[in-house]
Amino acid sequence: MLLAARQASQAQRPLRWLDLMAGCGIRGLRWGLEALPEARPDLELWFNDADPDRSALLEMNLQPLQRVPRLSLKLICRAAEHLLRQAYLDQTWFDLIDLDAFGCPNVLLQSALTVLRFDGFLVLASTDGRSPTGHDRPAAVRHFGAAARAHPASWEIALRLQLAVLAREAWQLGRGLQPIACFSDGRTFRLVVQLRKRLSSEEEAQLGLLARCERCGDQAVQPLLKLSGWRNCLCEDGQGRWAVTGPLWIGPLQETELLSDLLRIAASQPRSLSDEGRRLLQRLQRDSGLPVCCWSTAELARRLRLDGPPALEGLVQSLLNAGHLACPSAVMSGQLRCSAPMTELLQQCVDQAAGER
């Protein structure tokens, strides 16, 4: 809703928003009732749900929008693919598309991107948790064209695999892609991306591989454009083995400046965001998603045989003081991302644990 409100407040021309899998219509209802400032262009709201049994309920729930000035409604009952393909044939473009899929949404991505305006937003949800987290590797090959391995930062890996698919679909159209916000509760994986007219410089360098040694826990990252042999992991006997995940997105996950704008909008509209939602936005705003490597403090403590995980904020601060990039992960609790090599990270954990005693 906040993203829609921001777009409406900045638009200089009529807008068209699509709720592709509307269900009962609550999301679009909030768009029409809460996201529209007084000074705004005309808005066309499309609601679609393929289940004809929902049509009467959808129409009833959307009745309050009939009284909103300069707002027109279009209720449709079609398969999502049919609607998107027809919109492309009719040269109908959308400024905002919400694709809230059950399972993996990848079959619809190119169709959605072809009818999304330049600088428009795609809000994507996926409930496919097994294949991108390494629990169904054949399905990951089918859905993502990628190897997916089990990883302590599994939710983030799933988001990065999904972003990689989105980026490749946009690039095939000659367009660029900008991640705006990516997060998960472990059951649903949610991403907001912005379609760009052209690829930004070095955008293709954001596609790469992530390797992890299960034995020692070491991690390494390589972009596909500069792919070469992997260095040795930290296993002293040379018996370690890299498990490689990807191709996946190795660039930022969040557009922190835009998220700051959303927080400012939420502050001016106190009822627009729950306390939990505000805390989520604040976490995302503080974590751009770089560096890529994420480390579980519980795993680090277990490898060091400490009594318990070191304090996350203290560990992050000690890494920053040592000149490294570091921050708590906004995607999974109890994890941090940092640019320090694992040997130094382990030493910082030992020092932090000693300081806490």
Side-chain angles (χ1 to χ4, degrees), residues 244-267:
V244 179
T245 295
L248 44 66
W249 181 264
I250 58 173
L253 298 177
Q254 328 294 348
E255 177 54 57
T256 56
E257 290 186 8
L258 193 150
L259 294 178
S260 297
D261 289 346
L262 299 188
L263 284 168
R264 283 192 288 270
I265 294 172

Short mmCIF file of all heavy atoms in Angstrom, two decimals, residues 244-267:
data_model
loop_
_atom_site.label_atom_id
_atom_site.label_comp_id
_atom_site.label_asym_id
_atom_site.label_seq_id
_atom_site.Cartn_x
_atom_site.Cartn_y
_atom_site.Cartn_z
N VAL A 244 28.04 -25.59 -4.39
CA VAL A 244 27.81 -24.34 -5.11
C VAL A 244 26.33 -24.16 -5.38
O VAL A 244 25.64 -25.09 -5.84
CB VAL A 244 28.60 -24.32 -6.43
CG1 VAL A 244 28.34 -23.02 -7.19
CG2 VAL A 244 30.09 -24.49 -6.16
N THR A 245 25.83 -22.95 -5.12
CA THR A 245 24.44 -22.57 -5.39
C THR A 245 24.42 -21.48 -6.45
O THR A 245 25.20 -20.53 -6.38
CB THR A 245 23.75 -22.07 -4.11
OG1 THR A 245 23.65 -23.14 -3.17
CG2 THR A 245 22.35 -21.56 -4.41
N GLY A 246 23.51 -21.60 -7.38
CA GLY A 246 23.35 -20.54 -8.37
C GLY A 246 23.15 -21.10 -9.77
O GLY A 246 23.07 -22.32 -9.95
N PRO A 247 23.03 -20.17 -10.72
CA PRO A 247 23.22 -18.73 -10.63
C PRO A 247 22.17 -18.06 -9.75
O PRO A 247 21.00 -18.43 -9.79
CB PRO A 247 23.09 -18.25 -12.08
CG PRO A 247 23.27 -19.47 -12.92
CD PRO A 247 22.74 -20.59 -12.10
N LEU A 248 22.62 -17.06 -9.00
CA LEU A 248 21.73 -16.27 -8.17
C LEU A 248 22.17 -14.81 -8.21
O LEU A 248 23.24 -14.48 -8.70
CB LEU A 248 21.68 -16.82 -6.74
CG LEU A 248 22.96 -17.24 -5.99
CD1 LEU A 248 23.88 -16.08 -5.72
CD2 LEU A 248 22.60 -17.95 -4.71
N TRP A 249 21.33 -13.96 -7.67
CA TRP A 249 21.60 -12.51 -7.63
C TRP A 249 22.57 -12.23 -6.49
O TRP A 249 22.32 -12.61 -5.35
CB TRP A 249 20.29 -11.78 -7.39
CG TRP A 249 20.39 -10.28 -7.35
CD1 TRP A 249 20.51 -9.50 -6.23
CD2 TRP A 249 20.38 -9.38 -8.46
NE1 TRP A 249 20.56 -8.17 -6.58
CE2 TRP A 249 20.49 -8.08 -7.95
CE3 TRP A 249 20.28 -9.56 -9.84
CZ2 TRP A 249 20.49 -6.94 -8.77
CZ3 TRP A 249 20.29 -8.44 -10.65
CH2 TRP A 249 20.40 -7.16 -10.13
N ILE A 250 23.70 -11.59 -6.81
CA ILE A 250 24.69 -11.28 -5.79
C ILE A 250 24.79 -9.78 -5.55
O ILE A 250 25.75 -9.30 -4.94
CB ILE A 250 26.07 -11.88 -6.14
CG1 ILE A 250 26.57 -11.36 -7.48
CG2 ILE A 250 26.00 -13.40 -6.14
CD1 ILE A 250 28.01 -11.79 -7.81
N GLY A 251 23.80 -9.04 -6.02
CA GLY A 251 23.76 -7.60 -5.80
C GLY A 251 22.91 -7.24 -4.60
O GLY A 251 22.53 -8.10 -3.80
N PRO A 252 22.57 -5.96 -4.45
CA PRO A 252 21.75 -5.51 -3.31
C PRO A 252 20.36 -6.13 -3.35
O PRO A 252 19.83 -6.47 -4.42
CB PRO A 252 21.67 -3.99 -3.50
CG PRO A 252 22.79 -3.65 -4.43
CD PRO A 252 22.99 -4.83 -5.30
N LEU A 253 19.75 -6.25 -2.18
CA LEU A 253 18.38 -6.75 -2.06
C LEU A 253 17.38 -5.63 -1.83
O LEU A 253 16.19 -5.79 -2.10
CB LEU A 253 18.28 -7.75 -0.91
CG LEU A 253 19.11 -9.03 -1.01
CD1 LEU A 253 18.93 -9.86 0.26
CD2 LEU A 253 18.74 -9.83 -2.25
N GLN A 254 17.84 -4.52 -1.27
CA GLN A 254 16.94 -3.44 -0.88
C GLN A 254 17.40 -2.13 -1.51
O GLN A 254 18.60 -1.88 -1.63
CB GLN A 254 16.88 -3.27 0.65
CG GLN A 254 17.06 -4.51 1.48
CD GLN A 254 15.96 -5.54 1.34
OE1 GLN A 254 14.90 -5.25 0.79
NE2 GLN A 254 16.17 -6.75 1.84
N GLU A 255 16.43 -1.26 -1.85
CA GLU A 255 16.71 0.11 -2.25
C GLU A 255 16.43 0.97 -1.03
O GLU A 255 15.30 1.35 -0.75
CB GLU A 255 15.81 0.51 -3.43
CG GLU A 255 15.97 1.96 -3.87
CD GLU A 255 17.40 2.33 -4.18
OE1 GLU A 255 18.04 1.69 -5.03
OE2 GLU A 255 17.89 3.27 -3.52
N THR A 256 17.47 1.24 -0.25
CA THR A 256 17.27 1.81 1.09
C THR A 256 16.67 3.21 1.06
O THR A 256 15.91 3.57 1.95
CB THR A 256 18.60 1.81 1.86
OG1 THR A 256 19.59 2.51 1.11
CG2 THR A 256 19.08 0.38 2.09
N GLU A 257 17.00 4.01 0.04
CA GLU A 257 16.44 5.36 -0.02
C GLU A 257 14.94 5.32 -0.25
O GLU A 257 14.18 6.09 0.36
CB GLU A 257 17.13 6.17 -1.12
CG GLU A 257 18.58 6.52 -0.81
CD GLU A 257 19.17 7.44 -1.85
OE1 GLU A 257 18.42 7.94 -2.72
OE2 GLU A 257 20.39 7.67 -1.81
N LEU A 258 14.48 4.43 -1.13
CA LEU A 258 13.04 4.32 -1.36
C LEU A 258 12.34 3.80 -0.11
O LEU A 258 11.24 4.26 0.22
CB LEU A 258 12.79 3.40 -2.56
CG LEU A 258 11.37 3.41 -3.13
CD1 LEU A 258 11.40 3.10 -4.63
CD2 LEU A 258 10.47 2.40 -2.43
N LEU A 259 12.96 2.86 0.59
CA LEU A 259 12.35 2.37 1.83
C LEU A 259 12.26 3.48 2.87
O LEU A 259 11.30 3.52 3.66
CB LEU A 259 13.16 1.20 2.37
CG LEU A 259 13.14 -0.07 1.50
CD1 LEU A 259 14.02 -1.15 2.12
CD2 LEU A 259 11.73 -0.58 1.30
N SER A 260 13.22 4.38 2.88
CA SER A 260 13.14 5.54 3.78
C SER A 260 11.92 6.40 3.42
O SER A 260 11.23 6.92 4.31
CB SER A 260 14.41 6.37 3.69
OG SER A 260 15.53 5.63 4.14
N ASP A 261 11.65 6.56 2.12
CA ASP A 261 10.46 7.30 1.70
C ASP A 261 9.18 6.63 2.20
O ASP A 261 8.25 7.30 2.66
CB ASP A 261 10.40 7.40 0.17
CG ASP A 261 11.45 8.33 -0.41
OD1 ASP A 261 12.04 9.11 0.37
OD2 ASP A 261 11.69 8.29 -1.63
N LEU A 262 9.16 5.30 2.12
CA LEU A 262 7.97 4.59 2.58
C LEU A 262 7.76 4.76 4.07
O LEU A 262 6.62 4.89 4.54
CB LEU A 262 8.07 3.10 2.23
CG LEU A 262 8.19 2.75 0.74
CD1 LEU A 262 8.09 1.23 0.55
CD2 LEU A 262 7.15 3.46 -0.09
N LEU A 263 8.85 4.77 4.82
CA LEU A 263 8.73 4.99 6.27
C LEU A 263 8.22 6.40 6.57
O LEU A 263 7.45 6.60 7.51
CB LEU A 263 10.08 4.75 6.94
CG LEU A 263 10.49 3.28 7.10
CD1 LEU A 263 11.96 3.16 7.49
CD2 LEU A 263 9.60 2.58 8.14
N ARG A 264 8.62 7.38 5.76
CA ARG A 264 8.12 8.74 5.96
C ARG A 264 6.62 8.81 5.64
O ARG A 264 5.86 9.50 6.36
CB ARG A 264 8.90 9.72 5.08
CG ARG A 264 10.29 10.05 5.62
CD ARG A 264 10.90 11.23 4.90
NE ARG A 264 11.31 10.88 3.54
CZ ARG A 264 12.51 10.41 3.24
NH1 ARG A 264 13.40 10.23 4.19
NH2 ARG A 264 12.81 10.13 1.97
N ILE A 265 6.20 8.11 4.60
CA ILE A 265 4.77 8.08 4.28
C ILE A 265 3.99 7.42 5.41
O ILE A 265 2.93 7.88 5.82
CB ILE A 265 4.53 7.36 2.95
CG1 ILE A 265 5.15 8.13 1.79
CG2 ILE A 265 3.04 7.14 2.70
CD1 ILE A 265 5.13 7.39 0.47
N ALA A 266 4.54 6.32 5.93
CA ALA A 266 3.88 5.62 7.03
C ALA A 266 3.76 6.50 8.27
O ALA A 266 2.76 6.44 9.00
CB ALA A 266 4.64 4.34 7.37
N ALA A 267 4.77 7.34 8.51
CA ALA A 267 4.72 8.24 9.67
C ALA A 267 3.60 9.27 9.53
O ALA A 267 3.01 9.70 10.52
CB ALA A 267 6.07 8.93 9.83
#
